[in-house]
Amino acid sequence: MEKAKIAVIGGTGFEKLFKNAKQIRLGTPYGVAPPISVGKIDDKEVVFLPRHGPDHSIPPHKINYRANVYALYELNVQRIIGVNAVGAINSNFKPGDIVVPHDFIDFTKLRITTFYDESPVTHIDVSQPYCPEIRKFLIENSRKFGRRVWDKAVLACTEGPRFETPAEIEMFRLLGCDVVGMTGVPEAVLARELEICYAAVCFVSNMAAGMQERLTPNEVLTVSKEITPIMEQVLIETVRALPIQRESNCPCANALKNARFKA
Ligand code: HPA
């Protein structure tokens, strides 16, 4: 099996990281993941998985999140950086801004959110839902490119594939959410369940429903295409900066410790 330590999961408009990279197809107990590219950034092995498939054919509610995360686990990935397009709920956030969320609220409805359906009953701690070490390096490196960077934000994850109603967005705002997207959960949780470090780097593609006249996927894609070269650089710099060994006291690496009911 290949040895890869860092993975990037790309989202809308971000379907490629390496040119001419070797591609692999991996089966898992949960199904087959989209083609995964294997490349290098300096000396570090990095794999890239496009969560919507290489030609953006899988909608958010149909993504096989378990197969995707498990395929990376099979590749010995220890850290995942997820990239997401998001709408701004907080009116201070604007299209083109970069956001490194520190927390999320899960409003999805139909997704399988765990690997642990059977005994031993497993309750993962998500008091720090995103890996603090990866977040730190994402924030530092996002700041190098002249974009506004939000180093704290609560992400609302919706089921999709439709966009939200203005009333839903107003509710999310009242609950303290800053941005909304359709793909952040359960990816982050599934990674934690396998003790893989995970953090997300998002870019604002639009103001959320009710804050601008109407929403179209093309608008999301246009902003995404515009910011992709910057997001690529953020990822490359972050991968370069991350130490080889992850922090030993990281909440992700020890997630299964004390997480199980003992019969
Ligand atoms: N809502 C949900 N998902 C999104 C949005 C949005 O406004 N923009 C980009 N992804």
Side-chain angles (χ1 to χ4, degrees):
M1 196 61 76
E2 311 265 345
K3 297 263 185 243
K5 299 294 182 205
I6 303 179
V8 174
I9 302 185
T12 302
F14 198 85
E15 265 95 32
K16 229 174 161 181
L17 182 62
F18 306 111
K19 292 179 194 74
N20 310 319
K22 189 175 92 173
Q23 291 211 326
I24 48 178
R25 227 44 231 272
L26 276 184
T28 75
Y30 310 98
V32 182
I36 297 172
S37 313
V38 183
K40 272 197 160 183
I41 294 173
D42 298 341
D43 281 347
K44 294 192 175 112
E45 213 172 331
V46 178
V47 296
F48 180 79
L49 188 157
R51 69 164 79 76
H52 296 282
D55 47 7
H56 201 100
S57 55
I58 311 169
H61 66 298
K62 289 285 185 189
I63 292 171
N64 188 339
Y65 294 94
R66 288 203 297 184
N68 292 358
V69 174
Y70 203 85
L72 299 177
Y73 175 73
E74 286 177 336
L75 288 171
N76 294 316
V77 162
Q78 289 192 329
R79 292 180 173 121
I80 299 175
I81 303 174
V83 183
N84 312 84
V86 291
I89 298 174
N90 182 329
S91 59
N92 294 322
F93 290 33
K94 300 290 178 213
D97 289 357
I98 296 175
V99 184
V100 182
H102 73 285
D103 207 344
F104 65 76
I105 305 183
D106 181 7
F107 292 101
T108 66
K109 298 176 177 139
L110 303 171
R111 302 180 188 184
I112 302 174
T113 58
T114 183
F115 288 111
Y116 303 122
D117 281 327
E118 287 164 25
S119 177
V121 173
T122 305
H123 298 286
I124 285 294
D125 176 31
V126 279
S127 300
Q128 289 186 89
Y130 296 105
C131 173
E133 188 182 31
I134 306 183
R135 285 190 76 247
K136 171 173 156 273
F137 285 100
L138 277 172
I139 292 161
E140 274 173 25
N141 288 285
S142 298
R143 293 215 159 109
K144 293 179 178 167
F145 302 98
R147 292 286 169 144
R148 278 207 311 178
V149 178
W150 299 93
D151 61 7
K152 268 192 97 184
V154 176
L155 173 113
C157 189
T158 56
E159 185 63 38
R162 67 166 175 84
F163 287 116
E164 300 70 37
T165 66
E168 286 169 335
I169 293 297
E170 188 53 29
M171 174 182 74
F172 297 158
R173 188 199 332 275
L174 290 170
L175 293 175
C177 301
D178 299 296
V179 291
V180 57
M182 300 176 193
T183 53
V185 186
E187 214 169 74
V189 182
L190 293 169
R192 179 66 59 87
E193 284 196 341
L194 296 179
E195 299 190 323
I196 301 173
C197 293
Y198 182 101
V201 57
C202 309
F203 59 88
V204 177
S205 55
N206 56 281
M207 302 309 289
M211 301 172 75
Q212 60 175 57
E213 200 147 318
R214 68 184 300 251
L215 299 179
T216 64
N218 267 350
E219 176 189 358
V220 174
L221 198 60
T222 304
V223 176
S224 168
K225 288 257 157 9
E226 181 259 322
I227 202 168
T228 288
I230 293 176
M231 298 303 281
E232 277 174 6
Q233 284 311 308
V234 168
L235 290 165
I236 290 168
E237 293 296 313
T238 302
V239 168
R240 281 200 175 120
L242 277 167
I244 305 277
Q245 296 293 337
R246 22 182 211 173
E247 270 177 9
S248 55
N249 59 355
C250 158
C252 327
N254 303 304
L256 288 173
K257 211 167 154 187
N258 303 324
R260 290 189 160 132
F261 270 107
K262 297 203 178 59

Coordinates of all heavy atoms in Angstrom, one line a residue, residues 2 5-6 8 35 46 49 57-58 62 70-71 114 127 137 144 157 174 177 180 197 205 222 244 249 252 257:
E2 N 0.4 2.3 -0.7 CA 1.2 3.5 -0.8 C 1.3 4.2 0.6 O 0.4 4.0 1.4 CB 0.4 4.5 -1.7 CG 0.0 4.0 -3.0 CD 1.0 4.4 -4.1 OE1 1.8 5.2 -3.8 OE2 0.9 3.7 -5.1
K5 N 1.0 10.8 3.7 CA 0.7 11.3 5.1 C -0.3 12.5 5.1 O -1.0 12.7 6.0 CB 2.0 11.8 5.7 CG 3.0 10.7 5.9 CD 2.5 9.7 6.9 CE 3.5 8.6 7.1 NZ 3.0 7.3 7.5
I6 N -0.3 13.3 4.0 CA -1.2 14.5 4.0 C -2.1 14.3 2.8 O -1.7 14.0 1.7 CB -0.4 15.8 3.9 CG1 0.6 15.9 5.0 CG2 -1.3 17.0 3.9 CD1 1.5 17.1 5.0
V8 N -5.4 16.3 0.6 CA -6.3 17.5 0.4 C -7.6 16.9 -0.2 O -7.5 16.1 -1.2 CB -5.6 18.5 -0.6 CG1 -6.6 19.6 -0.9 CG2 -4.3 19.0 0.0
P35 N -11.2 8.9 -8.1 CA -9.8 8.7 -8.4 C -8.9 9.7 -7.5 O -9.3 10.8 -7.4 CB -9.6 9.1 -9.8 CG -11.0 9.0 -10.4 CD -11.9 9.2 -9.3
V46 N 1.7 13.8 -0.9 CA 0.4 14.4 -0.7 C -0.5 13.7 -1.7 O -0.2 13.5 -2.8 CB 0.5 15.9 -1.0 CG1 -0.9 16.6 -0.9 CG2 1.5 16.7 -0.1
L49 N -8.0 14.2 -3.3 CA -9.2 13.5 -3.6 C -10.3 14.6 -3.9 O -10.6 15.4 -3.1 CB -9.6 12.7 -2.4 CG -10.8 11.7 -2.5 CD1 -10.7 10.6 -1.5 CD2 -12.2 12.4 -2.4
S57 N -19.4 15.5 -10.7 CA -20.7 14.9 -11.1 C -21.4 14.3 -9.8 O -22.5 13.8 -9.9 CB -20.4 13.7 -12.0 OG -19.5 12.8 -11.5
I58 N -20.8 14.4 -8.6 CA -21.5 13.9 -7.4 C -22.0 15.1 -6.6 O -21.2 15.9 -6.1 CB -20.5 13.1 -6.6 CG1 -19.7 12.0 -7.5 CG2 -21.2 12.4 -5.4 CD1 -18.6 11.3 -6.8
K62 N -24.9 13.2 -2.1 CA -24.6 11.8 -2.7 C -23.2 11.4 -2.5 O -22.8 10.3 -2.9 CB -25.0 11.8 -4.1 CG -26.5 11.8 -4.4 CD -27.1 10.4 -4.0 CE -28.6 10.4 -4.4 NZ -29.2 9.2 -3.8
Y70 N -12.2 6.8 4.4 CA -11.6 5.5 4.6 C -10.5 5.2 3.6 O -9.5 4.6 3.9 CB -12.7 4.3 4.6 CG -12.2 3.1 5.4 CD1 -12.4 3.1 6.7 CD2 -11.5 2.1 4.7 CE1 -11.9 2.0 7.5 CE2 -11.1 1.0 5.5 CZ -11.3 1.0 6.8 OH -10.8 -0.1 7.5
A71 N -10.7 5.6 2.3 CA -9.7 5.4 1.3 C -8.4 6.1 1.7 O -7.3 5.6 1.6 CB -10.1 5.9 0.0
T114 N -21.1 8.1 10.8 CA -20.2 7.4 11.6 C -19.7 6.1 11.0 O -20.3 5.6 10.1 CB -20.8 7.1 13.0 OG1 -19.9 6.4 13.8 CG2 -22.0 6.1 12.8
S127 N -14.9 18.4 21.1 CA -14.8 19.7 21.8 C -14.0 20.6 21.0 O -14.2 21.8 21.1 CB -14.2 19.5 23.2 OG -15.1 18.6 23.9
F137 N -1.5 26.4 11.0 CA -0.7 26.6 9.8 C -1.5 27.1 8.6 O -1.0 27.9 7.8 CB 0.0 25.3 9.5 CG 1.2 25.0 10.4 CD1 1.1 24.1 11.5 CD2 2.4 25.7 10.2 CE1 2.2 23.9 12.3 CE2 3.5 25.5 11.1 CZ 3.3 24.6 12.1
K144 N -0.7 35.1 3.7 CA 0.4 35.5 2.8 C 0.0 36.1 1.5 O 0.8 36.5 0.7 CB 1.4 34.4 2.6 CG 2.1 33.9 3.8 CD 3.0 32.7 3.4 CE 3.8 32.2 4.7 NZ 4.4 30.9 4.4
C157 N -23.5 23.4 8.2 CA -23.5 22.4 7.1 C -25.0 22.0 6.8 O -25.6 21.5 7.7 CB -22.6 21.3 7.3 SG -22.4 20.3 5.8
L174 N -28.9 33.7 13.8 CA -29.3 33.8 15.2 C -28.6 32.7 16.1 O -28.4 33.0 17.2 CB -30.8 33.7 15.3 CG -31.6 34.9 14.7 CD1 -33.1 34.6 14.7 CD2 -31.4 36.1 15.5
C177 N -24.0 31.1 13.5 CA -23.2 30.6 12.3 C -22.7 31.8 11.5 O -23.4 32.8 11.3 CB -24.1 29.7 11.4 SG -24.7 28.3 12.3
V180 N -22.0 29.1 5.5 CA -22.8 27.9 5.2 C -22.3 27.2 4.0 O -21.9 27.8 3.0 CB -24.3 28.3 5.0 CG1 -24.5 29.3 3.9 CG2 -25.2 27.1 4.8
C197 N -6.1 13.8 11.7 CA -6.2 15.2 11.9 C -7.0 15.8 10.7 O -6.7 15.4 9.5 CB -4.9 15.9 12.0 SG -3.9 15.4 13.4
S205 N -17.9 32.3 -1.5 CA -18.2 32.4 -2.9 C -19.4 33.3 -3.2 O -19.6 33.8 -4.3 CB -18.5 31.1 -3.6 OG -19.5 30.4 -2.9
T222 N -17.6 30.7 -10.5 CA -16.8 31.8 -11.0 C -15.8 32.3 -9.9 O -14.6 32.5 -10.1 CB -17.7 33.0 -11.4 OG1 -18.6 32.4 -12.4 CG2 -17.0 34.1 -12.0
I244 N 6.7 17.2 10.1 CA 6.5 15.8 9.7 C 5.6 15.1 10.7 O 4.7 14.4 10.4 CB 7.8 15.1 9.5 CG1 8.7 15.9 8.5 CG2 7.6 13.6 9.1 CD1 8.5 15.6 7.1
N249 N 0.0 15.7 21.5 CA -1.1 15.9 22.4 C -2.4 16.4 21.6 O -3.3 17.0 22.2 CB -0.8 16.9 23.5 CG -0.4 18.2 22.9 OD1 -0.2 18.4 21.7 ND2 -0.1 19.2 23.8
C252 N -6.9 14.9 17.8 CA -7.3 14.0 16.7 C -6.6 12.7 16.9 O -7.2 11.6 16.7 CB -7.0 14.6 15.4 SG -7.1 16.4 15.4
K257 N -9.1 7.1 22.3 CA -8.7 6.9 23.7 C -9.9 7.3 24.6 O -10.4 8.5 24.5 CB -7.5 7.7 24.1 CG -6.6 7.1 25.1 CD -5.3 7.8 25.1 CE -4.6 7.8 26.3 NZ -3.4 8.7 26.3

